[in-house]
Amino acid sequence: MKKFLVLVAAAMMAVVNVNAQSVERRHEIGVSYGLGCSAIFDTFGERLTNGIFDHVDGCKMDNEKEFGTLSVEYFYHFDNPRMAIGGIFGYAHFSEDVVKKDGGALVGDRSRDYFTVMPALKYDWVHKDNFALYSKLGAGVMMLNEKSEDKELKKSDSDNDFFFMWQASLIGLEAGGENVRFFFEAGVGEQGIILGGLKYKF
């Protein structure tokens, strides 16, 4: 009888362990905001100084306004919970005025919207219930939508282009509860040089 009770207790412990493993939080969804995304600092839009503004004898850009990258990301953790695969969607915006060099008179304006989709990998160097230290790498496609308006001629133009884009977050830190955590990353790419946000693990 004692042996039977021991076997039953061992079986129950095994079931508890299996159930505990089955609730391993394999999924995570995060929302972040980043500054210093690579697309805004590049020269994708420089050609807009020509084209629609060809009639302007000398112009320059003024009153630049930047909205950093707003991102939504999802990751799935494998049996080895340190390794995860997922995807990132990001949006960024940049706008500026076009003015005459000789007097600063407003000629028009232009804006660029950046939409990025990247498959991504993530590796946790430290993986705890309430804390993680990780690195992240993503690469994919960015659609650049350019719009310009000539206020003198009352003419507008729009164009779309596609580019290769990436995000390499060398250092990432997350901390909080088992389900909800704050996170911070430092790296380079379309999500930004620095970014932070909130994630939910389930």
Side-chain angles (χ1 to χ4, degrees):
M1 187 65 178
K2 289 182 178 180
K3 290 183 178 179
F4 177 75
L5 292 175
V6 170
L7 290 174
V8 170
M12 292 179 65
M13 289 295 293
V15 170
V16 170
N17 286 335
V18 169
N19 288 336
Q21 293 176 3
S22 67
V23 297
E24 174 73 31
R25 291 167 179 80
R26 295 180 179 271
H27 308 272
E28 64 177 72
I29 298 175
V31 178
S32 66
Y33 178 75
L35 296 174
C37 62
S38 60
I40 288 179
F41 286 106
D42 64 26
T43 58
F44 287 158
E46 290 305 313
R47 64 183 178 278
L48 287 179
T49 54
N50 299 315
I52 193 173
F53 299 112
D54 276 341
H55 70 286
V56 181
D57 185 17
C59 59
K60 64 179 181 179
M61 304 303 126
D62 192 21
N63 194 29
E64 294 88 356
K65 296 178 181 178
E66 172 188 343
F67 178 81
T69 303
L70 181 65
S71 300
V72 177
E73 58 186 51
Y74 166 80
F75 282 96
Y76 174 80
H77 290 261
F78 296 105
D79 290 336
N80 176 0
R82 292 177 179 269
M83 180 65 72
I85 188 171
I88 302 167
F89 172 79
Y91 169 77
H93 177 80
F94 181 79
S95 64
E96 57 193 352
D97 293 333
V98 182
V99 299
K100 292 183 178 180
K101 289 182 179 179
D102 57 1
L106 182 64
V107 176
D109 58 60
R110 66 181 187 176
S111 65
R112 302 195 290 273
D113 292 296
Y114 305 89
F115 302 92
T116 305
V117 178
M118 299 180 286
L121 293 172
K122 177 185 172 187
Y123 184 80
D124 288 359
W125 303 102
V126 178
H127 184 84
K128 302 293 184 181
D129 289 338
N130 302 100
F131 174 81
L133 173 67
Y134 62 90
S135 296
K136 182 177 75 180
L137 178 64
V141 177
M142 181 189 73
M143 185 187 80
L144 168 62
N145 175 250
E146 304 174 332
K147 296 178 181 179
S148 56
E149 181 181 4
D150 187 320
K151 297 186 179 298
E152 292 184 335
L153 299 181
K154 295 183 179 179
K155 180 181 178 182
S156 61
D157 189 28
S158 179
D159 188 26
N160 292 323
D161 284 305
F162 293 87
F163 300 91
F164 171 77
M165 191 48 63
W166 74 92
Q167 175 67 29
S169 292
L170 305 179
I171 299 176
L173 298 170
E174 62 180 62
E178 294 183 358
N179 295 105
V180 180
R181 298 186 185 182
F182 294 96
F183 68 97
F184 171 85
E185 296 178 13
V188 62
E190 185 53 19
Q191 284 189 286
I193 297 173
I194 56 171
L195 63 113
L198 192 67
K199 65 176 58 177
Y200 178 71
K201 303 172 77 74
F202 60 98

